[in-house]
Amino acid sequence: MRRRSLLPIIAVLLALVGVTFGGLFLSRLPRTLTLAVGPPGQETHRYAQALAEAGIEARDRIRLKIVTTEGADASARLMDNGKIDLAIIRSDYDLPATGQSILVNTRRLAIVMAPQRARGGILKFEDLKGKRIAVARLTDPNLPLVRRMLAVADIGEKDATLIEVDLQELPELLGTGKVDAAIAIVVPSAPSVTMLLPEIARRLPGGLRIVPIDEAQAIANRVTGVETAEIPAGAFGAKRPAEEITTVAISYRTVARASMSEDLAGRTAKTLYDLRTRLNRTIPIAFTAEPPDGKMGARLPVHPGAMAYFDGETKTFFERYGELVFTGLWGASILGSGLAGFLAWIGRKRHGEGGQMVEEIGALTTAARTASPAALAEIEARGDAIVANLARLRTEGFVTDQLIESAGLALEHFRSVVDRARG
């Protein structure tokens, strides 16, 4: 009986162990997430495709399925509509209301370029008023941002002529004087930039001047998703710029659904961040990836799972669910104790029933001695029923061997009495 009462407790404990290790196993299976990025063929799209291919080759637990869009705005809309898990967005564009940052993919600085002249010329950002300005077109349109930057310096749309061009056109336009200045929002370390600026400098008789944006802090305060940045002296060659200057920057970042679990968001951030070294040779800007700013009051919210990973506070499966597991074990022990007590009570009750059946056999034996033939048949039928019930209770473990032995002796005597009465 004791062995049978322990079976439900063992079953509950095994179920909890199975759930625990089943959850651990499922958490380590590869997970495919959809990543929205665009436009096709542009730098961020190539970067995302390289991430997806590298993740498969490295057999990472996080796999990416690329969803190509028309640009950062379209990617943000897909996230708000709940159709994708991740999106690469641009910080100064409309951000998805349901998204939180897990990784800053690239940070791009505004580079204001103008001819170097002995006297006069464009020395400050506000000197762009009344000038023809070429705005380099890259992944997404930069004209809206440049207009907002100029507006902070009190340069309205009618106060300057903006011409959107490809980055490769800047040397020709500046060298021939078709434009007075140029603005490119780029990754300073990108090969296309480090090769382009010396080419522009060669085309200009007096050389190239990198114009500081003294209004950078004011622009960052008034334009969402823009921050201040510094360009070190000589970042683009000798004396380009001659000293450290201030500018503004925007970022392209991967955002995840706010509803994504902290564990999954942390694993995704780790996978994408670790791939930067693998992609450095084929996609140089991949190495510029960095953790998002998780400080209190940051203008762009960071997913708690990614913040935990970059802060070194990621919890293991047992740290995350250990309390739940131990609570379950504690509950199971209480349930098991209650179950054991209930089964013991049932056992005592059934054992009592077995004793009553033995006593009833004795009563039937006495009645059989003086019973009529019709009554004797009923007594015998009742005896058969008692035998069947005792056999069932013995199979279920509710009666002891001693009781069965006593019942056997009583039944043997009962049979002999019935046989004599029938004769």
Side-chain angles (χ1 to χ4, degrees):
M1 185 169 63
R2 181 180 298 275
R3 184 172 62 252
R4 289 183 176 275
S5 65
L6 290 175
L7 289 178
I9 303 174
I10 295 173
V12 171
L13 293 176
L14 288 177
L16 286 173
V17 171
V19 169
T20 300
F21 284 96
L24 180 61
F25 174 75
L26 291 175
S27 70
R28 301 188 67 84
L29 288 177
R31 179 73 180 271
T32 300
L33 303 177
T34 50
L35 170 64
V37 60
Q42 296 297 323
E43 190 176 52
T44 52
H45 190 262
R46 294 196 304 271
Y47 170 57
Q49 287 182 318
L51 283 175
E53 293 170 2
I56 294 174
E57 292 174 0
R59 297 184 179 181
D60 285 315
R61 287 187 288 154
I62 300 299
R63 309 284 176 83
L64 299 179
K65 179 182 179 182
I66 305 302
V67 178
T68 302
T69 66
E70 296 177 356
D73 279 339
S75 300
R77 287 194 298 271
L78 281 180
M79 174 157 287
D80 280 335
N81 293 335
K83 295 182 178 180
I84 45 97
D85 303 303
L86 306 167
I88 294 183
I89 55 90
R90 178 168 158 164
S91 62
D92 62 313
Y93 279 31
D94 289 336
L95 304 176
T98 58
Q100 295 179 333
S101 299
I102 64 170
L103 184 70
V104 175
N105 302 104
T106 60
R107 195 176 302 276
R108 299 188 176 185
L109 276 57
I111 311 297
V112 182
M113 296 165 278
Q116 178 81 42
R117 295 177 181 173
R119 295 182 181 181
I122 300 173
L123 304 177
K124 299 176 294 183
F125 189 65
E126 60 185 20
D127 292 338
L128 293 175
K129 189 171 187 177
K131 300 297 191 292
R132 295 164 298 169
I133 307 167
V135 179
R137 174 177 50 237
L138 291 172
T139 302
D140 294 287
N142 287 319
L143 281 177
L145 175 58
V146 172
R147 288 195 177 100
R148 282 179 284 178
M149 291 167 55
L150 292 172
V152 175
D154 293 327
I155 302 175
E157 292 189 19
K158 296 182 179 180
D159 297 328
T161 302
L162 302 183
I163 307 169
E164 191 173 29
V165 300
D166 290 333
L167 187 68
Q168 293 75 18
E169 297 181 61
L170 295 184
E172 174 67 19
L173 294 174
L174 284 168
T176 58
K178 294 180 180 178
V179 296
D180 303 305
I183 299 177
I185 301 175
V186 293
V187 178
S189 60
S192 58
V193 177
T194 56
M195 296 174 61
L196 181 72
L197 268 66
E199 174 63 20
I200 294 175
R202 283 194 294 270
R203 295 285 192 99
L204 298 173
L208 175 66
R209 171 183 286 132
I210 307 298
V211 180
I213 303 179
D214 297 328
E215 299 85 351
Q217 188 59 60
I219 294 172
N221 291 339
R222 290 174 55 176
V223 183
T224 302
V226 174
E227 56 188 298
T228 61
E230 304 296 330
I231 300 177
F236 305 109
K239 297 184 178 181
R240 289 195 297 269
E243 57 186 19
E244 183 179 85
I245 63 173
T246 303
T247 185
V248 296
I250 55 100
S251 61
Y252 279 84
R253 55 184 62 211
T254 301
V255 296
R257 289 181 288 103
S259 59
M260 181 179 290
S261 70
E262 291 188 20
D263 177 63
L264 181 57
R267 286 192 288 134
T268 304
K270 178 183 185 305
T271 297
L272 300 184
Y273 190 67
D274 289 347
L275 286 175
R276 64 191 189 128
T277 303
R278 178 183 290 270
L279 298 178
N280 186 40
R281 293 183 179 180
T282 54
I283 308 288
I285 65 166
F287 201 70
T288 64
E290 60 186 61
D293 182 8
K295 295 179 181 178
M296 185 68 68
R299 302 183 71 177
L300 299 175
V302 181
H303 198 291
M307 190 184 306
Y309 164 67
F310 287 115
D311 289 345
E313 299 176 357
T314 302
K315 295 180 179 179
T316 65
F317 177 86
F318 289 103
E319 288 174 333
R320 190 178 301 278
Y321 301 108
E323 184 176 348
L324 180 63
V325 171
F326 285 118
T327 301
L329 291 173
W330 177 71
S333 66
I334 294 178
L335 178 63
S337 299
L339 213 68
F342 176 74
L343 291 174
W345 176 76
I346 291 292
R348 289 192 297 271
K349 183 178 179 182
R350 293 294 179 86
H351 184 75
E353 291 177 3
Q356 291 173 0
M357 291 179 187
V358 173
E359 293 176 1
E360 188 177 355
I361 293 172
L364 290 175
T365 303
T366 302
R369 291 192 176 96
T370 58
S372 64
L376 188 63
E378 292 181 2
I379 290 172
E380 190 174 13
R382 178 56 188 159
D384 292 339
I386 290 175
V387 170
N389 286 334
L390 283 171
R392 177 175 55 81
L393 291 176
R394 179 67 182 90
T395 302
E396 293 175 354
F398 289 114
V399 293
T400 63
D401 293 337
Q402 292 83 354
L403 184 61
I404 290 297
E405 186 176 351
S406 299
L409 294 173
L411 284 169
E412 184 178 353
H413 182 56
F414 169 72
R415 290 293 183 193
S416 65
V417 171
V418 169
D419 291 340
R420 286 199 301 270
R422 185 181 293 113

